[in-house]
């Protein structure tokens, strides 16, 4: 009742309980189907591109090693709220799963 009165709603506990039940029901329903390009919805080709991209930005023994440190920081910037698979897919989706174009986009964020 406190919640509903605090937000300007009704004080009726029956209405409050009904709203909470409805809210919980909506939380439990899986109404969202993620489109292709998200983890769990990748084609075999997209999956391989994700693996190749990850390998590329995690490489620390090639000529791009210094840039890769910054690239990883950029890609994993939201690591506290977004796991690695979603981060990588997000960047690759932005450039239609083109690794070269994705790296070029990320490199645009690196101050030179």
């Amino acid at each position: 009742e406190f919640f509903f009165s605090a937000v300007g709603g009704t004080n009726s506990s029956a209405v409050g309980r009904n709203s909470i039940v409805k809210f919980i029901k909506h939380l439990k329903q899986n109404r969202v189907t993620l489109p292709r390009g998200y983890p769990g919805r990748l084609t075999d080709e997209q999956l391989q591109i994700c693996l190749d991209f990850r390998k590329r930005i995690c490489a620390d023994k090639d000529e791009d090693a210094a840039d890769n440190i910054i690239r990883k920081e950029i890609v994993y910037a939201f690591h506290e709220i977004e796991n690695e698979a979603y981060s990588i897919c997000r960047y690759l989706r932005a450039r239609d799963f083109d690794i070269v174009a994705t790296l070029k986009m990320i490199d645009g964020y690196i101050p030179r």
Side-chain angles (χ1 to χ4, degrees):
E1 287 182 30
F2 172 76
F3 172 77
F4 291 102
S5 61
V7 296
T10 180
N11 286 330
S12 168
S13 61
V15 172
R17 278 193 304 275
N18 190 27
S19 296
I20 295 298
V21 169
K22 209 173 191 180
F23 178 67
I24 292 170
K25 180 181 174 186
H26 286 198
L27 285 175
K28 290 181 178 181
Q29 289 177 344
N30 184 6
R31 292 183 174 184
V32 177
T33 301
L34 295 174
R36 290 281 182 196
Y38 284 82
R41 299 278 296 148
L42 299 172
T43 64
D44 290 340
E45 181 182 10
Q46 289 171 333
L47 177 60
Q48 187 59 53
I49 291 168
C50 286
L51 294 172
D52 294 344
F53 179 74
R54 182 183 186 273
K55 185 177 181 181
R56 180 100 179 249
I57 65 170
C58 290
D60 58 359
K61 304 255 191 273
D62 64 10
E63 66 277 355
D64 291 334
D67 283 346
N68 285 342
I69 292 169
I70 299 169
R71 287 173 178 156
K72 282 194 314 189
E73 287 179 13
I74 292 169
V75 171
Y76 300 137
F78 297 111
H79 71 277
E80 292 181 10
I81 58 172
E82 178 181 60
N83 73 34
E84 180 182 34
Y86 284 90
S87 296
I88 287 175
C89 286
R90 179 167 46 88
Y91 275 92
L92 288 169
R93 275 194 322 273
R95 293 296 178 260
D96 295 322
F97 285 83
D98 179 330
I99 291 176
V100 174
T102 302
L103 290 171
K104 185 177 178 181
M105 176 185 66
I106 292 169
D107 289 348
Y109 302 135
I110 300 173
R112 304 262 180 209

